[in-house]
Amino acid sequence: MLSTLPSVAGPPPEAAVLLVLLPLAPSGAGQVATCAALHTLQQQLGAAIRVLCVDEAAHPDVVRSFDGQGLPAWVLMRHGVELWRQPGMPSSAATVALIMSKLALLPVASN
């Protein structure tokens, strides 16, 4: 599954992307809970960052391109450049603050 979680407004052109790399996992309650948590994260981040969920089963080449060992993991990117990476699942308000602080420390590329 490579999906964009819906947001109220589209992201601005300089929006960063948070890729959430998920390991092979059977569908079921765990997958539903993961999707719900990522939807909540997208709501908390707003338009500043677009959350994309990348399922290893559906997109193994994408996960491999990010050296997807030690999944799950999340990767913060802007304009196709990896800015920061963290193992595990993003899951709390502290995570939102951490992601936003990482993004604030990075220069915005001009178009």
Side-chain angles (χ1 to χ4, degrees):
M1 147 174 101
L2 175 62
S3 61
T4 303
L5 299 168
S7 62
V8 176
E14 68 278 354
V17 174
L18 181 68
L19 290 178
V20 180
L21 306 174
L22 299 174
L24 291 170
S27 59
Q31 189 176 41
V32 171
T34 297
C35 288
L38 294 176
H39 180 73
T40 299
L41 178 64
Q42 179 66 77
Q43 290 177 323
Q44 292 171 333
L45 291 170
I49 298 175
R50 175 178 264 163
V51 177
L52 297 176
C53 184
V54 183
D55 183 345
E56 184 179 24
H59 301 281
D61 293 337
V62 173
V63 173
R64 271 194 302 274
S65 73
F66 284 95
D67 188 26
Q69 297 186 6
L71 297 176
W74 32 295
V75 181
L76 183 61
M77 301 184 66
R78 186 188 286 146
H79 302 292
V81 176
E82 184 175 324
L83 305 174
W84 184 66
R85 179 185 299 235
Q86 177 73 34
M89 283 292 293
S91 61
S92 67
T95 298
V96 171
L98 179 62
I99 293 168
M100 297 306 280
S101 71
K102 293 292 181 185
L103 196 57
L105 296 173
L106 301 164
V108 175
S110 59
N111 293 335

